[in-house]
Amino acid sequence: MRHFGHISPAAREGLFLRQPCEFGADSPARMLSAALGATLYSPATRPRLADDVLKQARRGVVSMVLCLEDSIDDSEVPDAEENLVRQFRDLAARGTEVPLLFVRVREPEQITDLAQRLGSSVRLLSGFVLPKFTEERGIPFMEALAKAETAGGQRLFAMPVLESPELLHLETRAAALQGIVRTVNTYRDRVLALRLGVTDFCSAYGLRRAPDMTAYDVQLVAAVIADVVNVLGRSDGTGFTITGPVWEYFRLQERMFKPQLRRSPFLEGRAEELRTALIEHDLDGLLREIELDRANGLLGKTCIHPSHVAPVHALSVVSHEEFSDAQDILRPERGGGGVMRSAYTNKMNEVKPHRAWAERTLQRAEVFGVAKEDVGFVDLLAAGLAE
């Protein structure tokens, strides 16, 4: 699979200076962690779940989480597990390529139980999402994952969700973070990415952000994100990929503030109708939050509606300007440092301080591609939605 693989080769050729690379469930973990993109969540209770998975794959989704936790009622868990096993077998029988599939469980015992019940269809499973992850809860989860991996002979990744009250509350945050660090470092080879449970953070204080606001406008949440990235997202080789929080809105709401989406990029791209549609569906706030995710060290995003996928992927593509800067910074002859004016003559590129940014940018370029010089996110978004 590849990002933008659902659009025609001719369309991709017109958009990309460097096209997104191909990858699969057996690709290196470093590549997969960067390639997750918009990870679409779906309740495991859906009766046509196999059809849903393949439908979303045809629309450009490359990673999905089939949820047995907060998205379903407690009483539905046994039936949801049975449905999940049945739908996996259906997918396996069809022999069609599927996105990276993860199951969000509630308890460690579900990991070993489900892996065993899936039988040969476990080959379609990329791993498990582990809720409310702390050191105390995380170790049993990771031990169960290791057992399931050994029993099935199948590489399985973990995606811990950082959402516990201990992480949010100021008096316990530092200790909780250090416990999480110890746990994920012990099982580093199995941790694909860390996910942020911002909805649970807000719940601890009875908060809910409006569609006009991003997670970064809620100061309690922004402070936790900053501390998580500070401790777990460092670029010195010790960090992990941390994904962006969920955007909850997907239909028309009464708007209190003026739209946040500038008109000019859409006029230049002759896509005013697209801009209007995004605003009507409260996706202008999503676009702003995606930009703030990346500015704050996050990559990829949890999504609960298919309409969120194309914006996440369009804004993940590396622009021609970013690629030019990254290449200049990482030229071998620049190894000694120094400073230079960018090729776009609009900024300073300082080799040593900007090196980590450049390396991260080229990693993103590998999986999401590099846009041509005259291609902007409006073009990419329109192409992603057109197919």
Side-chain angles (χ1 to χ4, degrees):
M1 72 187 85
R2 71 166 86 203
H3 284 290
F4 295 90
H6 65 299
I7 70 176
S8 70
R12 287 202 307 273
E13 185 68 27
L15 293 170
F16 290 98
L17 176 70
R18 292 195 177 186
Q19 294 204 17
C21 71
E22 292 187 345
F23 59 90
D26 58 350
S27 296
R30 178 180 177 275
M31 177 181 289
L32 292 182
S33 69
L36 288 168
T39 301
L40 184 63
Y41 277 54
S42 176
T45 51
R46 293 181 67 86
R48 298 179 63 86
L49 188 59
D51 291 336
D52 295 339
V53 167
L54 297 180
K55 177 182 178 181
Q56 296 309 324
R58 291 192 295 269
R59 293 180 172 181
V61 173
V62 304
S63 64
M64 290 187 69
V65 173
L66 312 179
C67 185
L68 294 167
E69 206 227 1
D70 284 349
S71 69
I72 65 173
D73 189 84
D74 296 347
S75 64
E76 295 179 299
V77 174
D79 288 342
E81 290 179 345
E82 289 184 14
N83 185 58
L84 188 71
V85 171
R86 186 167 55 250
Q87 301 291 339
F88 261 81
R89 289 175 179 166
D90 185 359
L91 285 170
R94 300 191 198 193
T96 305
E97 183 180 76
V98 299
L100 303 173
L101 295 178
F102 301 85
V103 174
R104 179 168 173 163
V105 292
R106 294 177 173 224
E107 302 297 338
E109 295 76 18
Q110 286 179 297
I111 293 177
T112 48
D113 179 58
L114 286 170
Q116 189 273 327
R117 290 164 64 184
L118 286 172
S120 61
S121 66
V122 75
R123 61 185 172 81
L124 302 181
L125 182 64
S126 291
F128 292 90
V129 174
L130 313 178
K132 300 170 179 62
F133 194 90
T134 61
E135 184 174 29
E136 182 180 1
R137 282 178 54 83
I139 291 175
F141 272 124
M142 299 306 299
E143 289 176 345
L145 183 78
K147 289 178 183 177
E149 188 178 66
T150 300
Q154 166 83 6
R155 182 177 72 165
L156 295 171
F157 288 113
M159 290 202 291
V161 186
L162 310 186
E163 57 185 348
S164 65
E166 300 97 311
L167 189 60
L168 181 62
H169 297 157
L170 184 60
E171 66 273 20
T172 54
R173 186 180 307 163
L177 275 171
Q178 289 307 311
I180 291 168
V181 168
R182 286 190 293 269
T183 307
V184 295
N185 278 339
T186 299
Y187 298 94
R188 175 173 287 272
D189 291 345
R190 290 191 172 90
V191 177
L192 186 62
L194 304 175
R195 313 198 73 88
L196 290 164
V198 164
T199 301
D200 279 46
F201 288 161
C202 290
S203 173
Y205 288 90
L207 305 176
R208 186 173 191 179
R209 70 188 190 273
D212 305 286
M213 297 182 180
T214 71
Y216 303 93
D217 294 314
V218 183
Q219 292 301 302
L220 282 167
V221 170
V224 181
I225 294 175
D227 286 347
V228 168
V229 174
N230 189 324
V231 175
L232 290 157
R234 298 175 186 178
S235 60
D236 58 1
T238 67
F240 295 83
T241 295
I242 304 170
T243 64
V246 68
W247 181 258
E248 297 179 350
Y249 296 94
F250 50 87
R251 62 182 178 184
L252 184 64
Q253 304 283 338
E254 183 179 358
R255 181 176 293 276
M256 182 178 298
F257 300 113
K258 69 178 182 180
Q260 305 172 82
L261 202 55
R262 290 189 303 114
R263 185 182 299 272
S264 55
F266 291 86
L267 293 177
E268 293 165 7
R270 298 185 300 280
E272 178 66 13
E273 289 184 7
L274 176 57
R275 177 181 181 272
T276 300
L278 291 171
I279 292 170
E280 286 178 349
H281 290 82
D282 288 319
L283 295 184
D284 54 329
L286 169 63
L287 294 176
R288 181 167 177 259
E289 185 167 284
I290 296 167
E291 288 285 274
L292 288 170
D293 285 341
R294 192 159 78 242
N296 284 277
L298 310 183
L299 180 62
K301 198 164 187 66
T302 295
C303 295
I304 47 83
H305 195 272
S307 64
H308 299 171
V309 173
V312 172
H313 290 169
L315 284 172
S316 297
V317 174
V318 172
S319 70
H320 185 274
E321 181 174 348
E322 289 176 308
F323 185 64
S324 173
D325 288 339
Q327 280 196 311
D328 283 349
I329 290 164
L330 295 176
R331 291 187 190 282
E333 63 269 24
R334 304 285 187 189
V339 64
M340 73 202 90
R341 185 173 61 175
S342 73
Y344 275 68
T345 68
N346 61 356
K347 72 178 76 65
M348 172 192 74
N349 286 331
E350 193 168 353
V351 173
K352 289 184 177 178
H354 290 147
R355 176 170 293 275
W357 169 87
E359 291 171 346
R360 179 173 289 190
T361 298
L362 292 190
Q363 181 184 22
R364 182 161 53 92
E366 181 181 16
V367 292
F368 288 101
V370 179
K372 288 186 174 180
E373 188 170 4
D374 59 346
V375 170
F377 90 91
V378 174
D379 305 291
L380 294 160
L381 179 57
L385 292 171
E387 296 294 322

